[in-house]
Amino acid sequence: MVEQPTQSDPQADAAVLEDAAVPEVVSWLRVQDPHGERMAKVFRETFDQIYDGQRTGRYRLDQLFKTEKTHFGTLIEINLQREFKFEDGDLLDFSILGMEIDCKYSHSGQWMIPVEAFEQLLLVAKADDAKTQWSVGVVRATAAHRRVSENRDRKTSLNPDGRAAVQWVFRDHPMQPNALLQLPRELVDHVMGQPSGQKRLNELFRVAQNLRLSNNIIATVAQQKDYMKRVRSNGGSRSALKPEGIIILSGDYNAQRSLAGALGAVIPEPGEVVSVTVVPAESAFEGVPIGDGVWRLARLGEEPTTAAPAVR
């Protein structure tokens, strides 16, 4: 008996293609950004962009206007496209591997899906600046993945099955921390309440020791165009805090990064600084050579009695 060829089912073939599209896009994105560094940069820069800290002194989401919070998703979409050079879609935001894909951002993970994105691929994203985490994933907005209810604009969201179907490019991945969100609110209020940019920076370096402080944090606290000048010696924070035993180490210099590691302090990345208090070490075995002396990190509650050494 001759076996008859089976008839192709167009709907079944389409379903197979749809199922294959999601992991295909996920794999492509991972090739473009194997460790998530590029996406992490986009999220960090977008938070900093919307805060506009140098001009406003803002550093957290609840300080933004409602329209600014809404605009955040648009900025993420724009900045991701700039970073990865996504092609424009004909119907939706992007075209990746020749496939239309809509970019959706939500701080809470409740992505709103418009009618034109039904049955289409979604690039879903969320981020939490306080937790220094972000996530990006891909899912198809099929009827089985969408809620039945819709709002007045006929927008809906993913149902539990849809959220479970998201294939994550990166999930809860780290980004550069916002040091002002790692400090108690009253301490930040105290810093920001100082009467000048220089005094605010000096106080920041006193109270936020052994934390990575980005250039953007420096700009937010100083609120001046020449904010990095306020960090340096010759009248900046390094000079002002030297009598208190405080040194400020820059991640832009390998020697200072190495010194931070040798001291056992947090190591600043490029574009960051870390402030720490040091005291003379009791012996060469307990400290690190700096200048003509040997120094170690001050212990909790230990008051320095000697000015800090000059750091090069």
Side-chain angles (χ1 to χ4, degrees):
M1 180 176 179
V2 178
E3 185 175 348
Q4 297 296 319
T6 57
Q7 294 294 319
S8 175
D9 184 343
Q11 290 186 339
D13 291 345
V16 170
L17 289 173
E18 289 178 0
D19 289 344
V22 172
E24 190 175 352
V25 172
V26 169
S27 297
W28 184 86
L29 289 169
R30 286 177 178 162
V31 169
Q32 309 310 308
D33 191 13
H35 306 292
E37 295 172 349
R38 296 173 67 186
M39 289 187 185
K41 182 183 73 169
V42 167
F43 282 99
R44 176 73 272 150
E45 290 179 352
T46 304
F47 274 110
D48 294 342
Q49 181 180 356
I50 202 76
Y51 294 149
D52 193 15
Q54 185 175 342
R55 292 197 309 113
T56 67
R58 300 179 306 185
Y59 63 93
R60 59 180 196 269
L61 281 177
D62 63 5
Q63 294 173 313
L64 302 180
F65 296 117
K66 182 179 180 180
T67 52
E68 291 177 306
K69 293 178 183 178
T70 303
H71 187 50
F72 190 93
T74 303
L75 288 178
I76 283 289
E77 174 189 329
I78 293 169
N79 292 338
L80 281 172
Q81 187 167 26
R82 284 176 176 168
E83 176 66 29
F84 290 94
K85 305 294 190 296
F86 297 141
E87 294 182 3
D88 285 331
D90 293 325
L91 174 67
L92 304 177
D93 295 324
F94 309 142
S95 175
I96 298 178
L97 298 175
M99 294 179 282
E100 297 270 331
I101 187 163
D102 212 28
C103 183
K104 293 298 169 192
Y105 177 85
S106 168
H107 292 297
S108 64
Q110 295 294 324
W111 303 283
M112 297 306 295
I113 309 168
V115 174
E116 62 268 22
F118 287 4
E119 309 305 321
Q120 303 294 328
L121 293 174
L122 304 178
L123 182 72
V124 294
K126 62 178 180 176
D128 188 324
D129 199 13
K131 294 180 180 179
T132 68
Q133 291 179 340
W134 57 273
S135 301
V136 167
V138 181
V139 66
R140 188 176 290 278
T142 63
H145 291 161
R146 303 192 308 265
R147 291 187 179 277
V148 176
S149 59
E150 299 175 349
N151 65 14
R152 288 182 298 178
D153 298 326
R154 292 199 60 200
K155 289 183 179 180
T156 187
S157 59
L158 294 176
N159 60 23
D161 288 341
R163 290 195 296 274
V166 174
Q167 293 191 28
W168 297 102
V169 184
F170 292 98
R171 190 173 190 181
D172 295 335
H173 210 65
M175 63 180 174
Q176 186 182 38
N178 180 345
L180 296 179
L181 290 178
Q182 297 179 306
L183 295 169
R185 180 77 62 85
E186 59 271 18
L187 208 54
V188 178
D189 290 343
H190 169 70
V191 170
M192 301 302 282
Q194 301 303 307
S196 71
Q198 187 63 70
K199 289 185 177 181
R200 287 193 292 272
L201 280 182
N202 292 350
E203 197 62 22
L204 175 69
F205 292 128
R206 290 188 184 104
V207 304
Q209 293 195 34
N210 218 18
L211 286 177
R212 293 164 56 193
L213 303 174
S214 69
N215 288 351
N216 189 74
I217 293 296
I218 303 300
T220 298
V221 173
Q223 295 177 54
Q224 294 171 326
K225 291 183 178 179
D226 57 350
Y227 57 91
M228 290 310 295
K229 180 180 178 181
R230 307 292 173 179
V231 178
R232 304 185 185 108
S233 302
N234 302 322
S237 294
R238 281 197 174 99
S239 299
L241 300 177
K242 184 177 179 180
E244 301 176 30
I246 296 175
I247 60 174
I248 301 172
L249 303 173
S250 171
D252 293 329
Y253 301 99
N254 289 333
Q256 293 188 23
R257 285 170 51 82
S258 297
L259 178 56
L263 286 167
V266 170
I267 300 174
E269 295 295 323
E272 297 176 339
V273 296
V274 168
S275 65
V276 292
T277 299
V278 294
V279 296
E282 287 74 16
S283 71
F285 299 103
E286 298 180 3
V288 178
I290 308 176
D292 296 329
V294 181
W295 301 79
R296 60 171 175 80
L297 291 182
R299 301 184 180 97
L300 185 64
E302 184 176 15
E303 293 292 337
T305 57
T306 306
V311 175
R312 301 187 183 280

